[in-house]
Amino acid sequence: MEPFPADAENQNYVTVHALSAGFLDWPDQYFVQPCLEGARTKAPSLAFLIQHHSPKTGRPTRIVFDLGIRKNIDTYPEVLKTHIVNHLSVITEPDVSDSLRLGDLSPEDIGFVVLSHVHWDHVGTPSDFGMSRFVVGNGSLGLLAEAGNPPLAGSTSLFEADLLPPERTTELPGVDEEAQGSSGGGGGTWQKFGPLRNVIDIFSDGSVYLVNSPGHLDGHLNLLVRLGPGKFLYLAGDACHDRRILRKELGIATWKNLHGEVCCIHSDKEATEKTIDLIVGLEKMDGVEVVLAHDVEWLNREGNKKRFWPGKM
Ligand SMILES: [Zn+2]
């Protein structure tokens, strides 16, 4: 796989801190196959704090990537709440705001909230972040706008129309597949970066990249950051829910709903499989660590509990 470009002279780096944002206990049959009847996984919903310092002024900009599970599930739309109560058991505390306070930060300190995608277990409580700008991938606002229409493939596509404040929300432009490798093509801000076809260099200093990560849901984003010389962290969101899929031990589950339609937790299974192949390649590269949003194996790996805020990755 093509390597990432080397660090620049005077390369700027960021610090990243895991944030506990709830747990959910899900039936494996909707995620992996083959699987045993009745098997369940208790998975974390992880969020991340990214701290960037301007090399000129030293001023910090803080980003939170994903807001996890909502603390008060009563405020999800009724149909979604019913789905959660019927199919899952969730732990909603601490949420992202609580987790930030563990290190003397509060939602007011967060400049930007980037949502990997708009599924309910990633959107948390946006109203807690009354000062922040929200950033979502292309197509996310369309999904929110369609909320209330009958979901296509069951309850994974239940959304809230008024989730995000329009005046403080930015939806990224779509990628131009024809203009691969050109930074200015089609007026877009997407560019190629090493093995990644479409990234946006947020601070224009090579420290934090938004990564177009197609397949799971329209607008699905990953984040790539530089932690130190030759050291990258790749936050993979819901591109994959279970490391056994990354290791090719299990496949992605599909099932039939009551109408006989084939359903999958990913809106485009084929595109997701390509994205997963890419992530498997990234993880094999020297100096690249990959963490999934629901990465129970990562959470249980020795030493990783110390990497939660106020600790660091
Ligand atoms: Zn999802």
Side-chain angles (χ1 to χ4, degrees):
M1 183 175 276
E2 186 185 343
F4 287 123
D7 293 20
E9 225 174 292
N10 303 317
Q11 177 66 54
N12 199 15
Y13 301 106
V14 292
T15 59
V16 179
H17 318 262
L19 299 168
S20 188
F23 283 83
L24 62 173
D25 179 309
W26 66 51
D28 278 8
Q29 58 178 328
Y30 299 119
F31 295 90
V32 294
Q33 65 185 25
C35 85
L36 293 173
E37 176 109 33
R40 297 182 75 89
T41 294
K42 185 186 173 190
S45 259
L46 297 170
F48 297 87
L49 165 67
I50 294 105
Q51 302 199 89
H52 175 275
H53 289 86
S54 158
K56 285 196 189 114
T57 65
R59 258 192 30 200
T61 301
R62 297 188 180 90
I63 300 170
V64 168
F65 183 58
D66 272 349
L67 295 181
I69 298 172
R70 187 166 301 171
K71 190 169 184 171
N72 180 4
I73 64 168
D74 287 340
T75 65
Y76 283 123
E78 199 58 35
V79 56
L80 179 52
K81 189 184 132 189
T82 306
H83 160 75
I84 296 167
V85 171
N86 287 347
H87 295 95
L88 305 155
S89 72
V90 293
I91 296 172
T92 67
E93 293 183 56
D95 71 349
V96 165
S97 301
D98 297 332
S99 292
L100 286 169
R101 285 185 199 102
L102 293 175
D104 287 334
L105 284 180
S106 73
E108 291 83 66
D109 299 307
I110 304 306
F112 298 89
V113 173
V114 178
L115 297 179
S116 64
H117 63 299
V118 293
H119 275 154
W120 65 271
D121 55 324
H122 295 256
V123 302
T125 310
S127 57
D128 284 354
F129 293 79
M131 320 275 277
S132 315
R133 274 212 83 78
F134 290 85
V135 177
V136 292
N138 192 257
S140 302
L141 296 185
L143 292 173
L144 298 181
E146 284 166 25
N149 294 338
L152 288 175
S155 45
T156 54
S157 28
L158 296 168
F159 303 106
E160 284 164 277
D162 58 352
L163 181 73
L164 300 173
E167 68 285 4
R168 284 187 285 119
T169 299
T170 302
E171 183 179 67
L172 300 177
V175 299
D176 182 355
E177 290 296 343
E178 301 302 310
Q180 184 193 352
S182 75
S183 53
T189 47
W190 296 101
Q191 54 183 296
K192 183 179 177 309
F193 183 67
L196 303 176
R197 287 181 65 163
N198 290 293
V199 307
I200 293 173
D201 182 352
I202 307 185
F203 296 103
S204 303
D205 64 2
S207 62
V208 183
Y209 296 92
L210 293 167
V211 183
N212 179 53
S213 172
H216 177 60
L217 189 71
D218 285 358
H220 187 245
L221 296 173
N222 291 167
L223 213 63
L224 175 76
V225 304
R226 285 188 202 260
L227 293 180
K231 202 175 160 207
F232 288 93
L233 175 67
Y234 188 87
L235 303 175
D238 273 5
C240 181
H241 296 80
D242 191 309
R243 285 192 162 270
R244 292 172 296 180
I245 295 174
L246 295 183
R247 291 192 296 270
K248 310 285 176 198
E249 294 165 14
L250 297 175
I252 297 170
T254 56
W255 69 96
K256 282 195 177 152
N257 67 10
L258 293 174
H259 310 290
E261 298 158 326
V262 176
C263 303
C264 179
I265 209 79
H266 303 290
S267 68
D268 183 338
K269 182 166 173 268
E270 218 170 284
T272 301
E273 279 163 346
K274 281 189 195 151
T275 293
I276 288 175
D277 285 344
L278 176 73
I279 290 170
V280 169
L282 294 178
E283 196 160 41
K284 286 188 183 137
M285 291 166 72
D286 275 344
V288 181
E289 179 178 21
V290 172
V291 187
L292 315 175
H294 302 291
D295 205 330
V296 64
E297 290 188 34
W298 177 87
L299 180 67
N300 292 329
R301 215 171 284 156
E302 173 108 36
N304 279 346
K305 302 236 167 43
K306 288 184 221 140
R307 300 170 81 192
F308 282 77
W309 176 250
K312 70 181 174 87
M313 303 280 291

